[in-house]
């Protein structure tokens, strides 16, 4: 399964939820498949799992802001579900998800029917362009974050295409977030995800081995190639 994935898609996202391994495959800019296996598929190959964040790096405040673009929701999903599972450890949770179209919004049913119904979880969906049958927000993620104007009393966690990350980081800084409050994953740079293809480097760092999660102050020590 993994070799097949590494050979073909444009992007590959991985996530864990309660011991299960999920891979999301993106081909030519569209999420085209979600497969599920077990952690044993990758063995020790996963050096850092984003789902570990709530226990480890996210300790500085209880309110959380998740921002996902396109297939970038895949790695955030496990963190979000972790926080939902241990709901009493966190305060308000805001989730911003953007995609090209309604059809490209990953996990739409779970978002609408489960996440949005949780206590003090606020979901904000947006699509890039207006379309028939969509009466929600229209516009790109960075502009939507600016429009929503979040208080900076929380930790922000981002994943999405590099251009989305760059412009959203600017908006968060403009809202007064410190660099220590913002985490992002460069997951979408990864191809094989296990240190074999050599295509995920940012400067001397391999995203799949040294990340993929970086705090903004760490990220700024890397070359501007992400
Ligand atoms: S994704 Fe292949 S080496 Fe990092």
């Amino acid at each position: 399964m993994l070799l097949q994935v590494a050979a073909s898609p444009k992007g590959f996202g991985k996530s864990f939820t309660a011991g299960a391994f999920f891979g999301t495959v993106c081909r030519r800019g569209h999420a085209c498949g979600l497969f599920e296996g077990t952690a044993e598929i990758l063995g020790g190959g996963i050096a850092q799992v984003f789902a570990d964040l709530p226990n480890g790096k996210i300790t500085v405040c209880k309110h959380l802001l998740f921002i996902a673009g396109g297939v970038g929701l895949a790695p955030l999903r496990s963190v979000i579900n972790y926080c939902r599972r241990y709901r009493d450890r966190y305060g308000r949770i805001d989730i911003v998800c953007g995609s090209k179209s309604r059809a490209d919004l990953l996990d739409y049913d779970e978002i609408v029917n489960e996440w949005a119904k949780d206590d003090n979880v606020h979901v904000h969906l947006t699509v890039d362009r207006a379309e028939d049958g969509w009466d929600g927000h229209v516009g790109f993620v960075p502009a939507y974050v600016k429009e929503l104007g979040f208080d900076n009393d929380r930790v922000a966690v981002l994943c999405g295409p590099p251009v989305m990350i760059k412009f959203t980081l600017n908006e968060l800084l403009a809202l007064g977030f410190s660099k220590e409050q913002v985490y992002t994953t460069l997951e979408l740079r990864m191809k094989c995800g296990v240190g074999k293809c050599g295509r995920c480097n940012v400067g001397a760092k391999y995203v799949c081995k040294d990340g993929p999660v970086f705090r903004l102050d760490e990220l700024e020590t890397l070359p501007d190639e992400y």
Side-chain angles (χ1 to χ4, degrees), residues 123-164:
V123 171
H124 315 274
L125 302 180
T126 186
V127 298
D128 290 356
R129 283 174 289 277
E131 61 183 61
D132 288 343
W134 177 259
D135 59 2
H137 189 272
V138 176
F140 296 117
V141 167
Y144 196 25
V145 167
K146 180 180 182 181
E147 183 181 326
L148 289 165
F150 295 103
D151 292 337
N152 55 29
D153 59 347
R154 63 201 66 202
V155 166
V157 186
L158 290 73
C159 187
V163 67
M164 184 217 89

Side-chain angles (χ1 to χ4, degrees), residues 34-70:
L34 179 70
F35 64 86
E36 178 180 349
T38 65
E40 286 71 38
I41 291 174
L42 294 181
I46 295 179
Q48 183 181 12
V49 177
F50 209 27
D52 289 341
L53 271 176
N55 274 334
K57 291 184 176 179
I58 296 181
T59 56
V60 293
C61 92
K62 290 190 75 178
H63 300 313
L64 297 170
L65 167 60
F66 296 101
I67 305 173

Side-chain angles (χ1 to χ4, degrees), residues 161-172:
V163 67
M164 184 217 89
I165 289 177
K166 265 189 185 175
F167 286 104
T168 304
L169 288 176
N170 290 341
E171 297 300 344
L172 290 175

Side-chain angles (χ1 to χ4, degrees), residues 189-200 206-208:
R189 284 190 68 89
M190 298 186 338
K191 305 301 176 190
C192 72
V194 291
K196 300 297 181 192
C197 72
R199 297 178 63 191
C200 68
Y206 272 33
V207 171
C208 68

